[in-house]
Amino acid sequence: MSKAGKKKSVSPKTKEKKQVAQAPEEAVAKEMPTQAQGTAVEKETETPAQAPETGKKTGAQPDASKTSPKNTQERDQIFQERMSRHHDELRWLYMELYQNDSMFAELCENMHQFYLSRSQELKMRDTSRETDKGWYKQNDMLGMMLYIDNFAGDMKGVESKLDYMEQCNVNYVHLMPFLETTEGRSDGGYAVSDFRKVQEKLGTMEDLESLASACHKKNINVCMDFVMNHTSEDHEWAKKARQGDGEYMSRYFFFANEEQPAEYEKTVPQVFPTTAPGNFTWLPDIGHFVMTTFYPYQWDLNYRNPRVFNEMMYNFLYLANQGMDIIRIDAVPYIWKELGTPCRNLPQVHTIVRMMRIISEIVCPAVLLLGEVVMEPEKVVPYFGTVEKPECHMLYNVTTMATTWHTVATGEVKLLKKQLDIVNGLPKDYTFLNYLRCHDDIGWGLDFGTLMLDGIGERSHKQYLNDYFQGYVWGSSSRGELYNADPVTGDARFCGTTASMCGIEKAGFEQDAQGMERAIRLDLMLHAYMFMQSGIPVLYSGDEIGQVNDYTYKENPNKAADSRYIHRGAMNWELAANVSDSSTVEGKIFQGLKHLEEIRKSEKVFVSTADTWTIETWDPSILCIGRYYEGEKVIGLFNFSGEDKTAWINETDGDYVDLVSGTEMKAAGVGIPAYGYYYLKKKS
Ligand code: GLC
C-alpha cells in the first residue's frame, strides 16, 4: 500500500507536528468562517479581491488603462447578467458541497475580479462565442497536441512555427503541460508545483500570452491542461503541509496510521500498478501517509475543503485569462474521494464540473472544457451533463480509439461497428475528441462482454493485442512497448507512435519498400476513418510526418521507467523538411493527410452535428460509415485488412464520386484494395 517503503519511527519533532495535523477535518472547519453573509452579487464591488494563495491581487492585474469608466460599467452589466442567470444554481451546488456562505461570497468576488482583469480581446471572444455557441462543432476544426520543448524548444519557438501549423490545417493546438514542475518528479509535467508559473526552460507567462494571441491572429485555438486532481509535492501547499501546518494538511489527505489507507485500498484500483503501486505514500519525516493516486510525488487534493476548490478555481480563471480557448481538465473522475468507494466518478465530481462550467460561462464563456475521462462509455457520457445543465463541452472518444487498434490487430470490424453505433446513437450535441494516438498509453478498455459472446476472453485477448503490437504475431509489422504490465492481473497497456504501430518503423529499418507502402496506406486509412467520425479530430504531433518510436528515453534516468516516453520523442525537423516531396515517407503521409483535411473542411457533411451511421458491408474487414447533412451524403469505406476486398453495400439512391481520387463510382459491390479507403459522395 505504501509507495515509499517501510514505515520508520517518528522523531519527537514530527510527533509534535503530527498532533497539529491529527484532525484535518477540524482544521478545515476552523478555517472556514460560518457566519451567513449577504449574497455574493451584492458584495462584489466592495473590496478588491486578494489572491489568498499569494496575498497579492488575484490573477492578472486588472489593467485600468484598458477600461474606461463607462466601459467598466457596461462590462459590469455583462458580468451581472451572466451572474444572475447562473447564481442560484451555482449557489445551490456550492452549498450542497460546502455549506459555507462566506467562501461562496469570496468565490463570487474573485470571479468578478477575474472578469475585470480579462483583456478586451478575450472579452470580445467571449461575446462572439456566446452568440455562436456551436463555433467548435464546424468541419474545419482540426487539433494537434504537442510538447513545447519537443516541438520547438520553447514557447517562442512554437510561436515561430505557426506557419507550419497552418500548413497542417491545424486550428487548435494543445500545448502539453508547461507549468512549473520538478525535473525527474514531473510525470511529463502532470505534477504542477506552481499553477501561475511557466517552466523556465519553456518561457514565461508573458510568452504564453504572446503565443496565445499570435495563435488567435491565425485563428488557432489554444488548449492547455489543468491538472486539478493533485499538486506536486513541491507545490507551496504541499511544502507547508509537510511542515505540519494543519491548514495545508487539510488541503490533501493525510493519515497518521495505515488503518484508513488500508480501508481505501480495499476498494480503490491502482493507476500505475507497476511504476507506482498503491494509492498512498508514507512520509517518514512527518510520520503520515498522504494519498497519491498517481505517482508518489503527486499529492491528491482534498476537494472537500472549499479552500481547495476556490483556490483551484482562481488558478483556472487565471490561466483562462492568459488566452486559453480550451482547458483540459486532467484526471477529472478522480477528484472526489469517499471511503468504501472506488474514488472515481462520484456524484460530487459532477457537482464540481458543473460548477466549473458555470464559473467559466460567467467569467470566460469563450473557454471550452475538455474532460479527460479515460473510461468506458457509460462513465464518460455523464460528463457531458444534460442539455439544461451541461458539464464538459468535449470528451475524449477513448473506447473508439482503443477499439480502432483492436480492429487493426484482428482485421475484424464487428466490435468497432458496434462501438460506433453506440457513439452515433448519442445526442448530436455531444462533441467527441477523436484521436488515434496521444501522449498516454493505450489501455485495452474494450467491450469484453461483447467479445466474450464470440469466445474471446479478456485476459487472452489483451495478451494477443500486446503481442501483436510488439510485433510478435505473424503478420504484424507493429513496433512498441508494454506499459505498466501488472504481474498479478496479467494486465498491460501499450505504447508506440501511430507510424510505428502501422509498420513504418519496421519497414524503414528493414528497407522494405513494399512493406513501407502498405504501412503508409494503413496509416492514411486510419486517419481517413478518424476524420469520418463526428467531433474534432486531433493529431498527435509527429504523426503528420509518420514519426516513429524514440528509444532514447531509456538513457534518461528521469524517463527510463516510463515507456510512454517512447512516443514522446522530439519533432524531427529534418524529416519535416520533406513534406512537399511526395517521393518520401514524410511527403506521402503529409500530402495524404492534407488532402483528407481539405476534403473534410470543404464538405459540410463533416460537421459534428451531421447524421452518422454505420452500414453492413458483409465483409468482416470493411467498415462503412455514412454521413448526411442538409441534403448531402457521404459514405466512407475502410478496409482494415491487408488484402483486397469487396464491400457488399448497395446504396441505390444515385451515382457517387470518390472525393479522395475524384473517380465516379457506384456505391454497390465496391472493391477496395488492402488498407484502402474511399469517401463516396452522392452526386446531386
Ligand atoms: C492524465 C494524463 C497522464 C498523467 C495523469 C496524472 O491521465 O494524461 O499523462 O499521468 O493524468 O496526472
Side-chain angles (χ1 to χ4, degrees):
M1 167 238 310
S2 153
K3 298 187 185 192
K6 281 229 161 2
K7 192 171 166 170
K8 291 195 187 128
S9 65
V10 184
S11 72
K13 199 164 162 241
T14 6
K15 263 191 188 149
E16 214 174 278
K17 282 182 189 156
K18 205 169 82 182
Q19 276 164 10
V20 185
Q22 282 293 329
E25 309 281 72
E26 244 175 59
V28 182
K30 237 188 270 159
E31 191 239 339
M32 299 184 291
T34 47
Q35 73 275 30
Q37 301 201 346
T39 73
V41 185
E42 284 156 15
K43 290 184 90 303
E44 261 145 37
T45 42
E46 279 174 28
T47 38
Q50 299 292 310
E53 191 181 9
T54 57
K56 287 189 219 128
K57 261 201 168 171
T58 305
Q61 305 297 309
D63 180 351
S65 66
K66 284 185 194 161
T67 24
S68 72
K70 184 170 169 281
N71 285 344
T72 310
Q73 219 181 6
E74 277 167 13
R75 275 193 294 277
D76 260 320
Q77 211 181 327
I78 293 178
F79 179 84
Q80 297 295 5
E81 270 167 25
R82 291 190 196 137
M83 182 54 110
S84 54
R85 212 179 311 140
H86 293 292
H87 172 269
D88 292 357
E89 191 194 348
L90 181 60
R91 186 182 163 81
W92 178 274
L93 295 171
Y94 196 93
M95 290 306 151
E96 197 177 276
L97 281 191
Y98 300 126
Q99 301 91 39
N100 191 311
D101 280 299
S102 62
M103 289 294 286
F104 180 68
E106 184 206 278
L107 173 68
C108 295
E109 168 61 29
N110 277 287
M111 283 164 62
H112 187 226
Q113 291 303 321
F114 279 107
Y115 168 79
L116 290 178
S117 60
R118 199 158 162 79
S119 76
Q120 198 59 270
E121 292 77 45
L122 295 178
K123 282 182 176 161
M124 275 159 64
R125 267 173 118 69
D126 290 335
T127 39
S128 86
R129 287 178 176 178
E130 267 185 316
T131 51
D132 178 20
K133 287 194 187 302
W135 65 270
Y136 58 98
K137 299 183 182 182
Q138 303 312 311
N139 47 321
D140 65 341
M141 285 297 281
L142 177 65
M144 179 181 278
M145 47 189 299
L146 56 87
Y147 284 93
I148 294 168
D149 51 353
N150 282 343
F151 184 71
D154 57 14
M155 290 198 176
K156 286 203 171 81
V158 176
E159 196 171 329
S160 72
K161 298 252 184 247
L162 295 185
D163 288 345
Y164 176 76
M165 215 85 85
E166 272 186 319
Q167 239 184 305
C168 296
N169 290 308
V170 163
N171 58 3
Y172 148 7
V173 58
H174 176 181
L175 304 169
M176 295 301 288
F178 52 73
L179 294 175
E180 186 84 334
T181 185
T182 308
E183 195 71 33
R185 283 181 286 123
S186 94
D187 184 20
Y190 285 100
V192 176
S193 55
D194 188 339
F195 289 94
R196 305 210 181 175
K197 187 162 183 269
V198 171
Q199 290 167 35
E200 255 160 51
K201 65 172 189 187
L202 302 179
T204 61
M205 270 302 162
E206 287 70 43
D207 293 343
L208 175 65
E209 227 181 323
S210 151
L211 173 58
S213 94
C215 284
H216 292 169
K217 288 199 183 94
K218 286 186 178 288
N219 278 328
I220 299 175
N221 295 286
V222 185
C223 170
M224 76 172 288
D225 287 88
F226 183 54
V227 187
M228 64 183 299
N229 177 67
H230 43 260
T231 73
S232 151
E233 63 177 341
D234 296 318
H235 188 280
E236 189 194 342
W237 299 353
K239 285 188 190 157
K240 288 190 176 147
R242 202 162 193 155
Q243 283 157 11
D245 184 329
E247 200 269 292
Y248 287 91
M249 289 178 87
S250 72
R251 298 185 186 197
Y252 299 94
F253 296 90
F254 275 91
F255 302 96
N257 57 51
E258 54 193 314
E259 233 169 80
Q260 286 217 40
E263 279 304 305
Y264 273 104
E265 293 289 14
K266 287 183 187 160
T267 54
V268 184
Q270 305 190 45
V271 177
F272 298 135
T274 318
T275 48
N279 289 289
F280 295 87
T281 297
W282 171 246
L283 303 174
D285 49 332
I286 178 176
H288 272 67
F289 286 96
V290 66
M291 186 182 259
T292 53
T293 304
F294 293 86
Y295 281 109
Y297 49 78
Q298 290 166 311
W299 293 10
D300 288 73
L301 283 168
N302 180 2
Y303 279 89
R304 273 171 198 276
N305 182 343
R307 172 58 59 212
V308 167
F309 176 77
N310 281 21
E311 294 295 340
M312 290 303 282
M313 288 310 100
Y314 306 154
N315 287 330
F316 171 84
L317 293 174
Y318 172 83
L319 294 165
N321 278 359
Q322 308 308 307
M324 297 305 109
D325 298 281
I326 300 157
I327 297 193
R328 173 187 184 271
I329 40 181
D330 180 64
V332 63
Y334 300 80
I335 60 176
W336 193 272
K337 277 81 178 178
E338 197 87 61
L339 197 61
T341 74
C343 295
R344 273 119 167 101
N345 306 304
L346 297 178
Q348 293 86 345
V349 174
H350 291 280
T351 306
I352 290 178
V353 178
R354 176 68 191 142
M355 285 199 285
M356 287 179 82
R357 173 74 179 249
I358 296 175
I359 290 167
S360 55
E361 301 244 343
I362 295 172
V363 182
C364 48
V367 175
L368 303 179
L369 294 182
L370 163 62
E372 193 227 359
V373 185
V374 179
M375 298 188 170
E376 56 272 41
E378 312 81 83
K379 307 260 169 64
V380 173
V381 169
Y383 285 87
F384 282 119
T386 62
V387 177
E388 297 77 33
K389 296 185 186 334
E391 296 179 21
C392 294
H393 297 83
M394 274 193 294
L395 292 164
Y396 287 85
N397 202 347
V398 56
T399 305
T400 302
M401 182 278 294
T403 310
T404 300
W405 290 108
H406 149 92
T407 312
V408 171
T410 57
E412 298 215 349
V413 299
K414 191 170 164 185
L415 191 69
L416 184 57
K417 183 176 182 302
K418 182 171 179 203
Q419 166 62 19
L420 292 175
D421 288 343
I422 294 172
V423 176
N424 293 336
L426 295 171
K428 288 193 200 126
D429 280 328
Y430 295 175
T431 305
F432 280 103
L433 188 155
N434 297 308
Y435 62 117
L436 294 172
R437 292 295 297 112
C438 71
H439 69 296
D440 277 331
D441 50 291
I442 304 172
W444 299 116
L446 307 174
D447 176 358
F448 283 104
T450 297
L451 285 175
M452 202 53 202
L453 300 176
D454 286 337
I456 300 174
E458 177 166 346
R459 190 165 174 161
S460 59
H461 190 55
K462 283 183 178 171
Q463 175 84 47
Y464 170 78
L465 294 170
N466 286 325
D467 285 349
Y468 183 91
F469 286 111
Q470 286 177 95
Y472 298 163
V473 172
W474 190 86
S476 161
S477 306
S478 170
R479 292 289 179 268
E481 291 180 350
L482 298 187
Y483 179 69
N484 267 279
D486 185 341
V488 182
T489 60
D491 212 14
R493 285 119 76 175
F494 190 80
C495 296
T497 69
T498 305
S500 286
M501 293 178 74
C502 287
I504 289 172
E505 178 181 335
K506 177 176 184 280
F509 188 73
E510 295 173 359
Q511 303 199 343
D512 169 1
Q514 234 184 334
M516 183 61 88
E517 197 259 326
R518 243 169 94 91
I520 292 172
R521 249 185 311 143
L522 171 58
D523 187 303
L524 287 174
M525 183 277 285
L526 291 178
H527 282 94
Y529 138 80
M530 196 243 295
F531 291 166
M532 191 78 187
Q533 292 170 45
S534 286
I536 302 179
V538 175
L539 302 172
Y540 187 50
S541 168
D543 278 3
E544 77 282 11
I545 55 163
Q547 201 152 297
V548 297
N549 291 338
D550 174 17
Y551 296 89
T552 60
Y553 80 94
K554 291 172 194 289
E555 291 145 28
N556 181 337
N558 289 337
K559 297 179 176 170
D562 193 331
S563 56
R564 288 178 299 177
Y565 286 100
I566 198 176
H567 54 246
R568 296 178 183 172
M571 175 76 182
N572 188 330
W573 287 104
E574 245 170 72
L575 293 179
N578 295 336
V579 295
S580 330
D581 178 353
S582 38
S583 69
T584 62
V585 173
E586 300 74 42
K588 283 185 181 131
I589 295 179
F590 193 90
Q591 299 298 331
L593 289 183
K594 201 174 166 68
H595 187 39
L596 293 169
E597 289 152 5
E598 275 153 14
I599 295 172
R600 190 173 196 278
K601 71 175 174 185
S602 59
E603 297 287 338
K604 62 181 181 194
V605 78
F606 287 97
V607 294
S608 254
T609 46
D611 287 335
T612 314
W613 68 100
T614 64
I615 298 167
E616 182 54 69
T617 65
W618 306 105
D619 182 286
S621 305
I622 301 176
L623 180 74
C624 183
I625 303 175
R627 295 187 70 83
Y628 177 88
Y629 188 74
E630 291 181 352
E632 298 198 356
K633 179 179 169 192
V634 169
I635 288 181
L637 285 167
F638 310 96
N639 183 353
F640 276 80
S641 96
E643 285 167 29
D644 299 354
K645 295 270 185 145
T646 301
W648 299 109
I649 56 168
N650 194 19
E651 301 287 302
T652 51
D653 52 355
D655 291 335
Y656 284 75
V657 60
D658 174 29
L659 294 172
V660 184
S661 62
T663 319
E664 304 220 349
M665 292 168 86
K666 292 251 181 262
V670 187
I672 314 176
Y675 298 136
Y677 54 93
Y678 297 127
Y679 281 169
L680 301 183
K681 185 179 179 188
K682 185 171 167 281
K683 288 173 70 178
S684 47

